[in-house]
């Protein structure tokens, strides 16, 4: 399961964001101050961090710098009411990977976090050495690289994020298709078939997508 670290001092907004991520099957570690973020995120190592710029105790940019300095590798999406260009530049200079101005639509936050999630997953080593390259939308094993479509990439990334764990069909649809898209079981199955066909071009013996009937799929 992908873990999202949320640092936001506005209790109401923090609760809305936390509930939204949990509804999408993310694990959430949420804190209200920069000091708590440093403690909790260094220990838990979330996969993606959503960090408020205007915190009561420390500037969010300094939190971002300190997290990176303390070995936190998760991409950071910075939230702020200040949307001026110079604030964005300062945020990126502090190591933020994306920026979202308040007020924002939850759907946009979710979409941006999913992009960062794919990037985080692609950086993770997988058991047999197969990995995803987000720059080329390919799955790579040793010298062999197989191109995927954006939807195939997103579905496979979701499976590869939790090797050995069953991913439910609903979660795969949420990962691969835009919010509200009508995706039939047949459509998902045919995408998985296409992914399997492409994976057969990789060296033998690597991990594969297995079917768990009536539930979903698992990468192992
Ligand atoms: Ca704030």
């Amino acid at each position: 399961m992908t873990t999202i670290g949320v640092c936001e001092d506005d209790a109401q907004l923090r609760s809305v964001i936390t509930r939204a991520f949990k509804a999408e099957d993310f694990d959430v570690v949420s804190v209200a101050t920069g000091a708590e973020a440093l403690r909790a995120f260094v220990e838990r190592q979330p996969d993606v961090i959503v960090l408020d710029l205007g915190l009561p105790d420390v500037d969010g940019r300094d939190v971002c710098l300190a997290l990176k300095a303390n070995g936190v590798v998760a991409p950071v999406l910075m939230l702020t009411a200040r949307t001026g260009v110079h604030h964005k530049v300062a945020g990126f200079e502090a190591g933020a990977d994306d920026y979202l101005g308040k007020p924002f639509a939850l759907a946009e936050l979710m979409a941006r976090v999913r992009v960062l999630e794919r990037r985080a997953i692609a950086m993770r080593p997988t058991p047999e050495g197969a990995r995803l390259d987000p720059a080329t939308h390919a799955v790579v094993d040793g010298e062999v690289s197989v191109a995927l479509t954006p939807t195939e990439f997103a579905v496979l990334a979701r499976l590869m994020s939790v090797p050995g764990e069953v991913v439910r069909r609903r979660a795969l649809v949420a990962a691969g298709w835009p919010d509200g898209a009508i995706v039939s079981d047949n459509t998902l199955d045919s995408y998985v078939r296409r992914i399997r066909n492409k994976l057969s071009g990789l060296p033998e013996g690597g991990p594969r997508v297995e079917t768990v009937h009536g539930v979903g799929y698992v990468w192992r």
Side-chain angles (χ1 to χ4, degrees), residues 49-195:
I49 291 170
V50 176
L51 175 64
D52 185 25
L53 176 66
L55 293 166
D57 56 338
V58 203
D59 188 294
R61 285 168 295 199
D62 291 337
V63 176
C64 190
L65 286 170
L67 285 171
K68 306 264 172 181
N70 285 311
V72 173
V73 294
V76 174
L77 183 150
M78 211 169 262
L79 294 179
T80 181
R82 306 174 225 164
T83 50
V85 168
H86 67 287
H87 284 115
K88 290 190 187 175
V89 171
F92 284 124
E93 280 172 355
D97 299 89
D98 198 4
Y99 219 98
L100 189 55
K102 295 177 183 175
F104 53 84
L106 274 177
E108 183 175 4
L109 174 65
M110 203 59 69
R112 288 177 178 273
V113 163
R114 289 209 184 273
V115 170
L116 296 179
E117 180 196 18
R118 287 201 284 278
R119 192 186 303 174
I121 289 166
M123 304 299 287
R124 271 188 225 160
T126 59
E128 301 290 330
R131 61 183 181 81
L132 290 174
D133 180 351
T136 57
H137 269 180
V139 57
V140 183
D141 192 351
E143 301 289 291
V144 187
S145 170
V146 178
L148 301 170
T149 67
T151 301
E152 292 165 355
F153 182 88
V155 169
L156 185 57
R158 185 69 182 78
L159 287 166
M160 287 174 70
S161 69
V162 285
E165 251 179 62
V166 180
V167 182
R168 283 181 286 154
R169 308 180 66 93
R170 193 170 65 83
L172 290 172
V173 169
W177 283 266
D179 223 15
I182 310 285
V183 181
S184 73
D185 280 355
N186 282 342
T187 304
L188 178 61
D189 292 337
S190 75
Y191 269 87
V192 170
R193 260 197 310 279
R194 282 157 54 176
I195 290 169

